[in-house]
Each structure stands twice: as structure tokens, then as C-alpha cells.
Amino acid sequence: MRHIWAFPSLTALSLFQASAASAVPRARQAINASSPLALFRTKRRFRTQAQLLSNSATKTTLVEEMVTVDTTSRLAALRSLMKERNLHVYVVPSEDSHASEYIADCDARRTFISGFSGSAGTAIVTLDKAALATDGRYFNQASKQLDSNWYLLKTGMQDVPTWQEWATQEAEGGKLIGVDPQLISSAIAEKLDEDIKNAGGGGLVGIKENLVDLVWGSEQPPRPSNSVFLLGQQYAGKDTAAKLADLRKELDKKKAAGFVLSMLDEIAWLFNLRGSDIAYNPVFFSYAIVTQASATLYIDEAKLTDECRTYLERNKVTIKPYGALFEDSEELARRAEADSKDAKPRKYLISSKGSWALKLALGGNKFVDEVRSPVGDAKAVKNDVELNGMRNCHIRDGAALTEFFAWLEDQLVNQKAQLDEVDAADKLEQIRSKHKDFVGLSFDTISSTGANAAVIHYKPEKGACKIIDPDAIYLCDSGAQYLDGTTDTTRTLHFGTPTAKEKKAYTLVLKGNIALDSVVFPKGTSGFAIDVMARQFLWKYGLDYRHGTGHGVGSFLNVHEGPIGIGTRKQYIDVALAAGNVLSIEPGYYEDEAFGIRIENLAIVKEVKTEHSFGDKPYLGFEHVTMVPYARNLIDETILTPDEKDWLNRANKKILEKTLGYFENDPLTKAWLLRETQPF
């Protein structure tokens, strides 16, 4: 999956031939709709349409994929500000003040200063050098987007320093490193400060006024303030009062004074609210503080509908302005200081991803403990309503993808149409939008042909993308937000005759997907422990892929959801998979400048019955919910085992049963689906 959120555009300009003149009035008319959900849908549509109509408004903030930006003047302005503040090094993280992976345009500071638009990475600027650190998903993209001012630090490669190590080296000799304390976690900041001083540097300094914002100036986009709406009980499955009660039990176990929430998806989940302040993620800018006696939501109250206010009041939630959080935190710290004179105070908890600024406002280590968020843990275990929603929305989403692939093949092969990657992505969005409870996309669709499929987080841009080649690999990684769940599916297809090499690579990836989907493991097993199941067949030939094998997925929330995942990241060692988790299974293989392959399903972790129960532990397995066929002409049956063929036959039978009814009046799609799900 990848990885950001755009609500459905009003039109697909090239495919559906709508005029710009007619599109804007329709957007304005839609925004006047009385339903909060209608407003939630159409506000993002209008913004997206406006960007399509006028690139001039956003050309300095939204960088097209694979386009190099000249950052010389931006770096010069930043260095001037650094000199004024006696800084030799300045760190520009990717995240916003809520540690969001995907951010609003106004928070895209690292993209603005470096030109690199991937979702992960850190920029480090000295008075005479600049470096950008990112992981293997983005090596290809970063090498094309960074101009000559920048040095690429390939995180995870042998002998390549981390951004912290590189910055620390540059601070030797008593030099200071600056950072906006709201954009870096307390844990990272404190460790970095210690390392800098141990290496002879002057230390880490929190600079409250963000220097990149000063360089950006009036061209920086405004902070979004979109309407928030209530997610009904028929979708949420549990009301806020019950969730607050569960959280308070956790606070009592930890003998904590309260929990300060800063992660936007955790706040949206806890209060059963959804918004659209960040593209593709149905969240809204907010903070919250929960104690045994109170629950306070910090938000711009104008964003809330009357229904939201009534619901929050009924669940005994107080509303305060978004900007009051830090002032209230400082007041809590003062009270804790006064109380500590008579007795040992109970500490406040913040997420381990909470900002350095937040921890300092609450009084630092004396009054704050950083923990893995109990709200994040609770959110990751879906209730029965959420799980059924996931199953149901994936049936509708599977029908949409099947219709799209049948249409695309017909257009390319039979109609000899010239379609580019954006045309295809727009058509898929249009098909999805017909289905019940559709709200928008869950990330930018990766629609990629040939060599572009080897760019793991590729995003096609009109005017800079390729015409889809029916004689090359086509990779489509896409997802949607529905009121009852979030989807993320990748399928790799070939509309002509694939090479033997392409078929072998595809089949090795498929074997890994099947092996991981089929694994049974004892309760307490982490995603780190089972990652090898998906890679083993590639490893046998000395092949691999540079991304995780799976990530958690929210319930009508962020398509990337912690704390669970499958892969080699350290955090996946510490968090065991649990029944009710929903996550992706997505092995792949990529050859730069040639082709890329990825096969992705979403799966629910469930308890399974086993003949024995060693250690008296429950055993777990997966139920995959994605309902889209696999590319039959890319499968090399000679390297499939009988068990693997049986798995495919059972999967195809289920796909056929669940989705065939959508195509009673669509002979083209029906024929395609029947062909692709024939037994092996």
C-alpha cells in the first residue's frame, strides 16, 4: 500500500471529458449540501480539482514525483537564519507536531526544503552541506528528486550513517544542532542530545519558531480546518464512554494521573469522530487529555457539528481550543510540582511518539512517562462490528478492482486505446465511487507501467507519466476509505505475453504471499518472527525487497496503523500480533529500470483450532479479506506445489462467490472474472 489520501475528484479530466468551467460550479453546489458527510466528501474534491485547474497556487509546496527542484535559494535563506541563531546544523523531520506519517500540505517542510516528496525521510542542513536520509522504499525516487545540493543517506545500507550519526559528526567542536521541538519525539531528542555532547558537540537546541516556515513565508499553505463528523455506532461498534472506561482501567493499572493524546488517529478513534484535515486520512487536528475524572478534547470548536457536540456532551467530554493544550499542560506541570512537595505525584503518560515539546510542557521526566500508547493498542484490536465492516467493504472494493482490470484490459488489448497511468488511476477511482459507503481514497493510487513499477512508492502525474504498455508489467497499488473500513490492495498484471523471468518472479512473490497467509503461530508471536515466511522463496535465489511485508490498517482510519506490522523493523519485535488485528501481507520484487511486482492482501488475525496446544497457548492465523483474483498469465504453475494450487483454488472460489453478483449486467467484467478464477 501507499500512501496518502485524496477524496474522489469531481471528474477524471482526460477520461470523462468534463470541462473545468462546469466542474467548479458542481463542486460549489456540492459543498452547500446540508449533510456533514457530504461536506466531508466534497471539500477535498474541490481542493483537489482546484489544484488540477491551477498548479500555480501550489507549485512551491506540492512537488511532482520524480521532478528535481532547485533548492539553492531555499538553503541559502535557511542558512542565514541558522547563523542568526548560532546554529551549525538544523534538522528538518518529515512529521508534523502529531508524529503523523502523512501530513497536511502546510507541514511538508522537509519536502519544501529538499525537493524530496516521499513520506519518510529526514533532512539535515549544515552551513555548507545538506543531507537527506531515507529508507530503501525511496532510494530510486530520492536519487531523481534531489538536486546537486544534497547528499543521499541510504538508511540501512552497510557503512551508511544514520541521520543522527551524520548530524552528530557535523556538530563536533562544540557546535549546536537545532530542531523544532514539536516535530521530534522526546526519546529521539534526548538520545541525540546525549550523543552530540558525548561526541564533543554543543548539544541539541529546541527552536520554537520553525526556521523552514520562515523561509517558506507567505507561500506556505494555510492550516486546514475542515468539518468533523460523527461516526455512527453501526460503524464504530463501541461508544466513547466505553472506550474511555477501558482507558481509565489502563491508567489505574499504571497508577498514572492521566494520558495526553497527540496522535490524530487515536483521537479520532477514541471519540468516534472523523475529519479530513490530512489528505487520505480521515483525521482532524486535535489533542486530548484523559484523567480518571475528566476527558478534554482540544479542537477548533467551529469544526464540530451540533451532532458532534451533543455526542461529546453525552459522553462527558469537555471541548477546549486546539491551541490551549500546551498552556493547560504547563498548568498540570505546575500543579504536579506543588503536589510533589507533600507526596510522590502520579505521572502523566504520553505516547512514545509524543513530541519533545509536549513532554517539556508537562514537566519533563519528573512528571512524564513515555509509553506505547494504550489507545493505539486498543484501536489495533478491532471489535466485531469493525471486523465485519472490513470484510464487507473489501467485497465491494474487490468488485470495483475486478471491474477496473477487466475494463483496462479491454481498452488496451481490444480497443487499442492510448491510456496513461493517471487515466487508469482516475477510472479506478470513478468505479470505486459507485459503491456503498465510499468516502474517498486511502492513499494516492500507484498506477505504474514497466520500469515505473520498480519505483516502490511511485505516484503518476499528468504530463510526466507513461502511456500504459500492454506488453509490460502493470502494477496497481490502491485503496479506499469506506464508512465501514479501509482497503489497500496491490495486484500486478500483464496484458500481453510475460517473459519467463517475469513469470518466475511473480510466482516467487505469490508463493511468499501464500506461505505467510497460511502460517499458524502461537499467541505472543511478533510480526518480526514471521516475516521470513514471505521472503524465503526469493531468498533461495538471492533476491529480496526493500520494504516491510505488512502494516496495520485502521477501521475507516489511517491505512498505515501502528503498533503492529510484519517486517524487520525493531518495533515489530516488541509487539505481538493479536486476534482482531488487521494488517497487510505484501511481498514484492523490483528490478530498477525494468519492472516491479507486488501482491498485497489485507488479513484479519484470528484464533485457529489446532490438534495440540503446546504450552496451553491459543494459536493464531490469518483470514484474508481481499477479494481480487491473481494474474493467471503471470503464474508459473510448474513451481507451485499442490497445496499452493489448492490455496489458489479456494481463494478464487471465495472471490467468485462474493463478487460475481455485482456483474449480472456487465458481461465484460463477468467474463474476465470467470476466466481469472478458473481452477488450477
Side-chain angles (χ1 to χ4, degrees):
M1 117 77 225
R2 293 5 5 132
H3 298 90
I4 321 190
W5 150 318
F7 286 74
S9 57
L10 283 168
T11 56
L13 294 184
S14 59
L15 281 179
F16 312 118
Q17 300 176 354
S19 68
S22 63
V24 172
R26 283 201 301 275
R28 289 174 178 153
Q29 185 179 22
I31 290 173
N32 290 328
S34 59
S35 164
L37 180 56
L39 181 62
F40 172 72
R41 290 177 175 175
T42 56
K43 270 195 166 183
R44 178 62 64 179
R45 290 183 183 182
F46 180 62
R47 189 186 75 84
T48 303
Q49 185 69 18
Q51 288 173 354
L52 288 170
L53 296 175
S54 177
N55 286 332
S56 62
T58 56
K59 64 182 179 181
T60 60
T61 62
L62 301 176
V63 183
E64 289 188 350
E65 296 292 318
M66 317 310 285
V67 174
T68 302
V69 176
D70 184 353
T71 62
T72 303
S73 62
R74 298 175 187 181
L75 288 170
L78 176 59
R79 286 167 174 145
S80 177
L81 293 171
M82 290 166 59
K83 289 176 183 177
E84 291 175 7
R85 290 155 178 79
N86 194 33
L87 299 175
H88 184 81
V89 183
Y90 190 69
V91 177
V92 186
S94 295
E95 296 79 10
D96 62 13
S97 56
H98 300 274
S100 304
E101 180 182 9
Y102 299 104
I103 54 177
D105 294 341
C106 60
D107 290 318
R109 300 175 178 93
R110 191 225 57 224
T111 297
F112 171 79
I113 201 64
S114 70
F116 167 65
S117 63
S119 67
T122 302
I124 317 99
V125 179
T126 75
L127 296 178
D128 57 0
K129 286 181 279 189
L132 185 285
T134 191
D135 61 47
R137 295 171 296 169
Y138 294 108
F139 291 167
N140 191 322
Q141 179 179 330
S143 66
K144 290 178 169 62
Q145 289 187 314
L146 296 175
D147 69 7
S148 59
N149 290 301
W150 292 84
Y151 175 69
L152 176 59
L153 296 174
K154 295 184 176 182
T155 303
M157 298 294 284
Q158 187 173 354
D159 299 325
V160 174
T162 64
W163 72 261
Q164 294 97 325
E165 291 168 341
W166 194 88
T168 297
Q169 293 168 6
E170 293 298 318
E172 291 177 0
K175 297 168 184 172
L176 295 174
I177 297 180
V179 68
D180 183 338
Q182 290 198 50
L183 305 184
I184 189 170
S185 74
S186 176
I188 292 176
E190 291 173 358
K191 177 67 165 59
L192 181 57
D193 182 58
E194 180 184 356
D195 290 346
I196 294 166
K197 290 174 180 175
N198 288 340
L204 184 67
V205 180
I207 307 296
K208 289 187 177 181
E209 193 171 29
N210 190 283
L211 302 189
V212 175
D213 288 353
L214 296 179
V215 175
W216 213 341
S218 62
E219 292 188 344
Q220 186 176 15
R223 182 159 296 280
S225 186
N226 297 331
S227 182
V228 172
F229 73 95
L230 178 66
L231 185 67
Q233 192 80 355
Q234 71 271 32
Y235 300 113
K238 194 172 188 178
D239 67 15
T240 292
K243 292 178 180 180
L244 287 171
D246 290 343
L247 175 56
R248 286 172 175 138
K249 289 176 184 177
E250 292 300 314
L251 295 179
D252 191 52
K253 288 179 186 177
K254 294 178 169 60
K255 298 186 180 344
F259 183 51
V260 182
L261 289 85
S262 57
M263 302 291 289
L264 300 183
D265 62 329
E266 293 181 5
I267 297 168
W269 176 85
L270 182 63
F271 296 105
N272 287 342
L273 302 175
R274 298 294 188 269
S276 59
D277 282 347
I278 294 181
Y280 308 116
N281 299 267
V283 298
F284 48 91
F285 286 111
S286 55
Y287 289 98
I289 299 179
V290 177
T291 70
Q292 291 293 356
S294 66
T296 305
L297 175 63
Y298 294 84
I299 186 173
D300 176 3
E301 191 170 354
K303 298 157 73 90
L304 298 172
T305 64
D306 290 341
E307 185 182 28
C308 292
R309 292 189 191 92
T310 299
Y311 177 80
L312 292 171
E313 182 179 348
R314 189 169 68 244
N315 285 271
K316 296 180 172 53
V317 178
T318 301
I319 302 167
K320 283 194 172 185
Y322 175 73
L325 181 279
F326 281 93
E327 181 180 337
D328 282 5
S329 296
E330 290 167 358
E331 176 60 26
L332 291 174
R334 285 191 289 270
R335 291 181 192 173
E337 182 66 47
D339 293 344
S340 68
K341 295 175 183 177
D342 300 320
K344 183 178 179 181
R346 287 194 170 199
K347 291 187 175 184
Y348 278 86
L349 306 180
I350 65 171
S351 165
S352 54
K353 294 184 178 181
S355 73
W356 190 24
L358 179 58
K359 183 175 181 179
L360 292 175
L362 287 163
N365 289 321
K366 184 176 180 181
F367 302 115
V368 180
D369 276 338
E370 297 165 83
V371 297
R372 195 175 78 228
S373 170
V375 176
D377 285 353
K379 175 168 55 64
V381 178
K382 275 57 178 177
N383 60 50
D384 288 342
V385 170
E386 292 172 321
L387 292 176
N388 283 331
M390 277 290 192
R391 294 182 181 101
N392 292 333
C393 74
H394 275 85
I395 294 171
R396 302 192 300 275
D397 200 65
L401 279 161
T402 296
E403 181 181 344
F404 166 65
F405 291 139
W407 172 87
L408 185 59
E409 180 182 283
D410 180 65
Q411 289 291 305
L412 296 175
V413 177
N414 300 324
Q415 310 303 324
K416 308 299 182 184
Q418 293 284 298
L419 298 171
D420 67 29
E421 295 160 327
V422 172
D423 294 335
D426 287 346
K427 178 64 175 179
L428 174 55
E429 184 177 356
Q430 183 265 331
I431 293 172
R432 274 190 166 116
S433 70
K434 300 184 302 183
H435 286 275
K436 177 186 174 185
D437 289 340
F438 174 84
V439 179
L441 301 184
S442 57
F443 56 93
D444 266 322
T445 297
I446 299 175
S447 170
S448 51
T449 185
N452 286 347
V455 181
I456 296 170
H457 280 198
Y458 175 73
K459 175 190 170 187
E461 294 284 353
K462 201 68 177 175
C465 63
K466 287 185 177 181
I467 299 295
I468 297 173
D469 182 357
D471 293 317
I473 287 282
Y474 175 72
L475 187 153
C476 181
D477 184 349
S478 68
Q481 296 285 6
Y482 299 89
L483 290 175
D484 54 350
T486 300
T487 70
D488 180 6
T489 302
T490 308
R491 288 295 183 265
T492 306
L493 301 95
H494 199 297
F495 302 109
T497 304
T499 66
K501 182 178 185 180
E502 289 169 336
K503 290 182 67 172
K504 184 172 184 178
Y506 180 93
T507 310
L508 293 175
V509 171
L510 177 61
K511 286 167 72 72
N513 193 292
I514 294 171
L516 185 50
D517 181 272
S518 306
V519 71
V520 174
F521 51 93
K523 183 179 179 180
T525 301
S526 71
F528 182 92
I530 60 175
D531 177 71
V532 64
M533 300 298 296
R535 298 180 191 266
Q536 58 180 312
F537 303 101
L538 290 165
W539 283 358
K540 184 177 179 180
Y541 293 92
L543 306 174
D544 206 348
Y545 49 94
R546 289 194 182 105
H547 58 74
T549 299
H551 56 82
V553 179
S555 178
F556 184 30
L557 271 173
N558 297 358
V559 75
H560 279 176
E561 178 179 87
I564 58 165
I566 302 173
T568 56
R569 293 184 181 182
K570 182 180 181 297
Q571 61 263 39
Y572 295 156
I573 300 175
D574 302 326
V575 187
L577 300 180
N581 290 157
V582 177
L583 69 167
S584 67
I585 297 176
E586 51 177 307
Y589 175 68
Y590 312 89
E591 284 198 12
D592 288 349
E593 309 304 330
F595 64 88
I597 291 165
R598 186 162 59 252
I599 302 171
E600 176 183 21
N601 295 327
L602 293 197
I604 295 170
V605 181
K606 64 176 183 177
E607 193 166 329
V608 299
K609 291 183 179 180
T610 53
E611 183 179 353
H612 304 285
S613 183
F614 182 82
D616 294 324
K617 288 184 176 182
Y619 278 72
L620 305 174
F622 293 113
E623 170 199 348
H624 78 257
V625 295
T626 302
M627 294 292 138
V628 184
Y630 305 88
R632 196 174 188 86
N633 68 340
L634 276 167
I635 296 174
D636 182 350
E637 292 188 51
T638 66
I639 57 176
L640 289 179
T641 67
D643 283 347
E644 289 166 342
K645 291 180 181 179
D646 181 60
W647 184 96
L648 279 169
N649 288 336
R650 284 185 283 110
N652 283 336
K653 181 181 178 182
K654 187 175 182 181
I655 291 166
L656 197 61
E657 291 173 350
K658 296 290 186 181
T659 64
L660 185 61
Y662 285 86
F663 311 120
E664 290 302 322
N665 299 313
D666 182 355
L668 175 70
T669 304
K670 185 176 182 179
W672 188 91
L673 176 61
L674 290 170
R675 186 193 75 196
E676 292 299 303
T677 55
Q678 289 179 41
F680 284 90

